[in-house]
Amino acid sequence: MAYRPSKQFKKTALGAGAAALLLALNAPAALSFAGDTYHSYKIGRYSYRIQYGSWGLIDLPAEYRINAMHAALLHTGKVLLIAGSGNNQRNFDKGTFSTVLWDPKDDTFRKIPTPEDFFCSGHSQLPDGQLLVAGGTARYEVLGGKVTRAGGGMRVKNESPDKEVRLAKGTVFRSPSGVEYVSKFDVTVPKATRRFEIPYGQGGRMMPWKTVVVAAEARVFVEAVREGAGGLTTQAAQYAVAGLTGRDAHDVYGLAERLSADKQDFQGIKSAYEFDPVAEKYVPVDPMRDARWYPTLVGLQDGRVLAVSGLNDVGDVVPGDNEYYDPRTKKWSEGPFRYFPTYPSLFLAQGGKLLYTGSNAGYGPKDKGREPGVWDLATNRFRKVGGLADPDRLETSSSVLLPPAQDQKVMVLGGGGVGESRLSTARTAVVDLKEAEPVFRPTARLPQGVRYLSSVLLPDDSVFTTGGSADYRGRGASDIRKAQFYYPRTDIFVAAASPTVGRNYHSEALLLPDGRVATFGSDPLFADKDNTRLGKFEHRLEVYSPPYLYRDAARRPVLGEGPAELAPGARATFRAPRAERIQRARLMRPSAVTHTTDVEQRSVELGLEKTAGTVTVTVPADPTLVPPGWYMLFVTDADGTPSVAKWLRVRPDRPTVPPAVPPAVAPVAPQEHGDGWLD
């Protein structure tokens, strides 16, 4: 007799089959859930955190979510996050500029009124604790193919020695053939100058004095009034200024060589401000001599700041006109002439020269200004430093002055090809500036090729590196969600806990006074592997707690009462329970970082003496090692566990004295000598 299943069996079998089918269909999700659950369990265990550290997201209220392009730690312990227009032209067109102040102690936030577009500005810590912010955006780029009106730079000349000329935005310049162009910004042209010459006649006989007028000049961006090809010109011409009559029409005119429909780059502004950390507001100071977008600002041993490179007011890379800011007078003055690509990484070295590592953030030709070298500001001589592997992949690389600063070793990490190149490198290299002939030497390689890598000095003399992407702006979902420590003494990388958030272009990381590392921003080009969906700016704020914060809290070094400022070379005594456990002391300069460019951070070794219940530290007397300003003072035990930092200001040693600057001459191509120096 054939077997026939019962109705109950059929129902049970069908139910089991359906369950099996559902399980098969949902197996990937179930496995993923199980994997995520196990991962959360694993990274939450003490044994994991004591080895790798941990990451945590900060609850950021919606009203404070800005496109953080710039991050700076202030001596109040708060972090200034600057967006400006935030790479968002709608914000720019509306005049909506943003800054947010974050207090890591209690994770509170405050909006700061932002007077101008500081998107892609430069910044530097000043001796009194103010943050200098200079440059930013005057005009957004217009990509090739979307330019409807011819445009370019117009040189406005003034031949009158009696008065300067101010032309408002919207001034019309008319070509000899009647084609009209309109200025996009206000422009002021100084008075012409009179020069006296003594002509000589036949036989060298001296003739009467002769007065020569030399026209003054300013520059402004103009666009054709009408759309189309009618505004294109490739020949130099003189342009009349509409509305001027009589002598003014003769004295004031425009000169342009080429007005095209090519891509029009971002344009910079001249504006400069100091941010006051106590009043928590921007304070205007004198504007720069040149407009700058993507400039580097580097603090010097005398308290002044050197502003270098950037895109100017017509969208060209500043050809080499650099300038000094004096915080005493709040004014700018001429600096040594030298060309660099935008956001060049320049580090103050012992003795007062600057090391250019070759790291930069982009704009500029691939064959100009990209070789590393030592720059003597007093003589304006530049000595090339060779030895780097993958020298064509320095754009978007990271550079740090390794701890302690007294070792005078600077490291370059990763980087990519020029522009939208797919190339990246895992190369790292270190140059020892104490050598008679400094040269980069290869060091331990990164786990993989990376650009936009963030590198942060820690109080235990390690370098924490995190984030970045393998491709340009994270294309192809190439963000690298990994982090690692680099130990200079042993030249090794050691894995750290992996971040949740990927970071590429427009991202930052910096050290907090409690020993944690905060990360911000990221501006991916696309949001998927196939590069079909546009990316969105990353607003999540993630903080990393290194393994040293999971050691026995009762044994962590503590710094108590002590002075808040001292002079170079001076000593300072602090109360310190368990002083016998303290082994090292470091002064760490607070970061001011953007576009993986952070030339502010440095870690200085201090002399250390201990008694029962106190420690006494001695600050080096050399201001090229310890530029004046506010620092975080950390002490660490034998295991590298740091205290919470005390803020300590190192006063300027002497009044500002400008170094000698070579006489201004017409720019010429640099001449290379056999000894490797460029003039």
Side-chain angles (χ1 to χ4, degrees), residues 70-420:
H70 311 264
L73 177 63
L74 308 174
H75 70 85
T76 57
K78 298 179 182 181
V79 178
L80 192 70
L81 300 174
I82 304 173
S85 58
N87 202 17
N88 183 316
Q89 185 156 6
R90 285 176 296 180
N91 288 343
F92 178 82
D93 293 341
K94 292 187 297 183
T96 302
F97 311 135
S98 302
T99 301
V100 165
L101 196 61
W102 169 48
D103 190 344
K105 290 181 180 178
D106 55 10
D107 290 331
T108 55
F109 300 86
R110 177 172 178 247
K111 291 182 180 179
I112 302 295
T114 308
E116 299 197 47
D117 191 0
F118 298 139
F119 166 50
C120 292
S121 59
H123 23 66
S124 181
Q125 305 280 1
L126 296 176
D128 61 357
Q130 311 278 89
L131 181 77
L132 176 64
V133 180
T137 305
R139 184 175 188 266
Y140 268 64
E141 68 180 357
V142 183
L143 299 177
K146 294 187 177 181
V147 178
T148 59
R149 290 179 170 84
M154 179 73 71
R155 294 159 53 206
V156 186
K157 308 285 278 189
N158 178 18
E159 293 186 358
S160 171
D162 301 318
K163 62 181 180 180
E164 69 177 18
V165 174
R166 297 185 180 183
L167 301 178
K169 174 183 176 180
T171 296
V172 172
F173 294 82
R174 188 174 295 114
S175 75
S177 62
V179 180
E180 293 185 338
Y181 301 84
V182 61
S183 65
K184 306 303 291 183
F185 306 98
D186 298 341
V187 61
T188 299
V189 193
K191 300 177 185 178
T193 56
R194 289 188 176 94
R195 190 173 66 202
F196 298 99
E197 294 183 351
I198 304 175
Y200 287 83
Q202 292 183 348
R205 186 166 53 89
M206 195 178 347
M207 305 291 287
W209 288 87
K210 179 181 179 183
T211 302
V212 177
V213 174
V214 180
E217 179 178 303
R219 185 178 55 228
V220 68
F221 187 84
V222 299
E223 278 186 339
V225 172
R226 294 186 179 180
E227 296 184 354
L232 300 174
T233 177
T234 58
Q235 294 183 340
Q238 182 168 316
Y239 295 76
V241 178
L244 296 184
T245 59
R247 187 67 192 179
D248 289 343
H250 173 271
D251 288 342
V252 183
Y253 53 90
L255 294 175
E257 296 180 1
R258 184 174 183 267
L259 299 170
S260 74
D262 296 343
K263 174 191 173 185
Q264 296 169 358
D265 277 320
F266 283 94
Q267 295 166 16
I269 60 177
K270 297 181 179 181
S271 301
Y273 289 75
E274 290 185 9
F275 184 80
D276 185 333
V278 177
E280 297 184 346
K281 66 178 183 179
Y282 290 103
V283 179
V285 296
D286 269 11
M288 294 182 290
R289 299 156 67 100
D290 272 283
R292 300 182 190 271
W293 185 90
Y294 264 49
T296 290
L297 272 60
V298 56
L300 304 176
Q301 68 270 23
D302 57 13
R304 292 178 308 148
V305 174
L306 179 65
V308 174
S309 191
L311 299 188
N312 61 22
D313 48 5
V314 296
D316 297 332
V317 179
V318 175
D321 302 286
N322 308 306
E323 52 192 301
Y324 293 109
Y325 177 73
D326 188 333
R328 294 181 311 129
T329 63
K330 315 295 186 188
K331 296 184 180 297
W332 298 82
S333 61
E334 181 182 2
F337 185 93
R338 185 156 299 279
Y339 175 91
F340 294 95
T342 55
Y343 279 139
S345 288
L346 293 158
F347 293 89
L348 178 65
Q350 194 165 11
K353 296 176 183 177
L354 298 183
L355 172 71
Y356 169 50
T357 62
S359 295
N360 66 89
Y363 290 82
K366 64 169 55 178
D367 58 351
K368 185 178 180 183
R370 295 182 182 264
E371 282 191 284
V374 176
W375 185 20
D376 187 332
L377 300 179
T379 64
N380 198 22
R381 300 188 78 192
F382 186 90
R383 185 163 194 161
K384 293 185 292 184
V385 175
L388 268 177
D390 297 335
D392 61 335
R393 301 180 198 184
L394 281 169
E395 192 164 291
T396 65
S397 62
S398 178
S399 293
V400 290
L401 175 62
L402 291 175
Q406 284 90 336
D407 286 355
Q408 288 292 283
K409 293 181 179 179
V410 181
M411 188 176 194
V412 173
L413 305 95
V418 174
E420 299 185 15

Side-chain angles (χ1 to χ4, degrees), residues 545-579:
S545 297
Y548 55 55
L549 294 181
Y550 292 98
R551 297 170 189 156
D552 185 355
R555 296 170 63 83
R556 185 177 183 182
V558 175
L559 275 180
E561 293 179 358
E565 66 174 57
L566 73 172
R571 293 154 54 89
T573 299
F574 295 84
R575 294 187 180 277
R578 302 183 298 279

Side-chain angles (χ1 to χ4, degrees), residues 63 130 231 510 622:
E63 64 266 34
Q130 311 278 89
L510 53 76
D622 185 350

Side-chain angles (χ1 to χ4, degrees), residues 26-47:
N26 290 286
L31 289 172
S32 175
F33 175 77
D36 289 346
T37 302
Y38 174 71
H39 179 68
S40 297
Y41 164 75
K42 182 180 73 171
I43 66 175
R45 298 176 65 192
Y46 173 78
S47 59

